[in-house]
Amino acid sequence: MPYQKYWLMKSEPTSFSFEDLVRSKKSTNHWDGVRNYQARNYMREMRVGDKVLFYHSSCDEPGVVGLAEVMRTAYPDHTQFDPADVHYDPKATRDRPIWDMVDLRAIKPLRGPAGLDVLRKTKGLEKMVLLRRGSRLSVQPVSRKEWEIIVRLGG
DNA sequence: GCCAACGTTGGC
DNA sequence: GCCAACGTTGGC
């Protein structure tokens, strides 16, 4: 396998939670709805086997709740073509898709969820994209060390 | 290409 | 619900 990378992906648990991923067939599902170019471009960099921190946002306890891995590299997000979908993009066509998604498989939940408050206080995570002021990217790169620290936090 | 207005994100 | 920070849009 080529060089393996680490990522963090945000989801609002009310729309799609880590538990939803676990309950999916083969614990695998597609990650649709990304509508930000930088986040999309990061997804395009993903390779099968890359590891992902699954983050819950806009909820009572925001934080990393589970580990996942990339099962399929970027391919067109079907929701961009569907006028009935909230993520519909009239500028996208089947011939010229704009937005991509990847498939993820749940590896395991973190026993002690690594809450945002905890992450902020944890040594070695000072430079995490997630913790940068004003950072809103829903798909972000994570360093190997950051990954290891957070996995250790989660037991 | 500038930039004001507007929309979205996401913690609190 | 508030609001800071950021991204996008569109007139010029």
Side-chain angles (χ1 to χ4, degrees):
Chain A
M1 183 185 305
Y3 184 56
Q4 176 178 301
K5 291 187 176 170
Y6 302 87
W7 309 92
L8 179 146
M9 297 174 82
K10 294 180 187 171
S11 183
E12 300 188 12
T14 51
S15 79
F16 190 80
S17 70
F18 186 74
E19 275 309 302
D20 291 329
L21 183 61
V22 170
R23 280 194 295 264
S24 301
K25 190 181 173 189
K26 295 185 180 176
S27 299
T28 302
N29 218 320
H30 54 269
W31 193 277
D32 62 26
V34 171
R35 293 295 182 270
N36 170 284
Y37 287 103
Q38 199 177 348
R40 181 204 66 182
N41 293 342
Y42 280 136
M43 283 201 297
R44 288 180 173 177
E45 288 182 32
M46 293 181 183
R47 293 294 169 257
V48 171
D50 279 6
K51 298 293 189 279
V52 177
L53 298 171
F54 196 116
Y55 181 91
H56 280 174
S57 64
S58 295
C59 55
D60 287 346
E61 294 181 342
V64 176
V65 294
L67 310 180
E69 71 176 327
V70 176
M71 296 298 278
R72 181 176 175 184
T73 55
Y75 63 106
D77 175 345
H78 55 87
T79 64
Q80 70 193 301
F81 308 123
D82 180 1
D85 196 283
V86 284
H87 296 297
Y88 174 60
D89 186 341
K91 296 191 295 298
T93 65
R94 301 242 172 214
D95 287 343
R96 289 176 174 268
I98 299 171
W99 306 108
D100 282 358
M101 58 189 185
V102 296
D103 287 356
L104 292 189
R105 185 183 71 86
I107 297 174
K108 65 168 184 177
L110 290 186
R111 263 198 295 141
L116 223 209
D117 48 350
V118 174
L119 299 184
R120 286 193 198 284
K121 288 187 231 162
T122 302
K123 201 172 171 234
L125 299 182
E126 295 83 357
K127 293 188 176 168
M128 268 193 90
V129 175
L130 179 76
L131 305 181
R132 287 220 265 273
R133 200 174 126 77
S135 173
R136 301 183 317 184
L137 261 188
S138 63
V139 179
Q140 342 176 330
V142 169
S143 78
R144 184 169 152 79
K145 283 197 169 171
E146 289 162 352
W147 164 271
E148 284 169 357
I149 289 169
I150 290 168
V151 168
R152 214 174 299 133
L153 268 182

